Amino acid sequence: MASPKRFEFPIAKAEYLFNRATEPGQGGDKRKFWRDVMGFESPEAIRETILAEVSLEILQPQSQNEQGELYRAYIQVTGVSGLSRRIRTIWIVLFDEDVARFVTAVPDRLGGL
């Protein structure tokens, strides 16, 4: 697998977490979790919090698809609400690149770290 050297997390991806509502049974309501449960008030705050907790050292190889190598990293996030949750982040390193690009972040169902 490729060895990423840095992270890339476009604000559009954080806006997706902050604003995206899905139909029941379609992957959960991202907006409800990040806004209502965790208490974040902006996509920028979500992005900053995730980037502050993730590091290249905790990336774990997950799989490969037609675009590149997928990695996951588990981080502990404390929201504005005071609630602390273990979050699974997913990153992709495109073939022939060394940048871990943010894909998504979801609460980990297994509990705390």
Side-chain angles (χ1 to χ4, degrees):
M1 292 189 117
S3 295
K5 305 282 189 252
R6 64 182 176 90
F7 291 102
E8 183 177 290
F9 189 163
I11 195 64
K13 291 283 191 170
E15 288 169 350
Y16 170 79
L17 293 176
F18 192 69
N19 294 316
R20 179 70 173 152
T22 57
E23 295 299 319
Q26 300 293 316
D29 189 339
K30 292 167 180 57
R31 174 180 59 200
K32 179 175 175 65
F33 175 75
W34 291 103
R35 283 185 176 186
D36 299 346
V37 175
M38 297 301 285
F40 284 98
E41 298 177 4
S42 72
E44 292 82 7
I46 295 169
R47 181 180 180 271
E48 289 172 20
T49 299
I50 290 173
L51 286 173
E53 295 299 323
V54 74
S55 68
L56 295 171
E57 293 78 26
I58 66 170
L59 285 179
Q60 302 169 0
Q62 179 171 296
S63 62
Q64 179 177 311
N65 67 19
E66 64 278 352
Q67 297 174 325
E69 310 284 347
L70 292 165
Y71 289 83
R72 67 181 171 269
Y74 295 94
I75 58 174
Q76 194 73 23
V77 171
T78 301
V80 177
S81 67
L83 180 67
S84 185
R85 291 289 300 267
R86 179 176 151 132
I87 304 295
R88 179 171 39 104
T89 62
I90 305 296
W91 306 82
I92 188 168
V93 178
L94 301 176
F95 293 122
D96 299 320
E97 292 191 10
D98 64 359
V99 178
R101 300 173 192 277
F102 181 81
V103 176
T104 195
V106 296
D108 183 37
R109 303 269 185 237
L110 298 178
L113 288 173

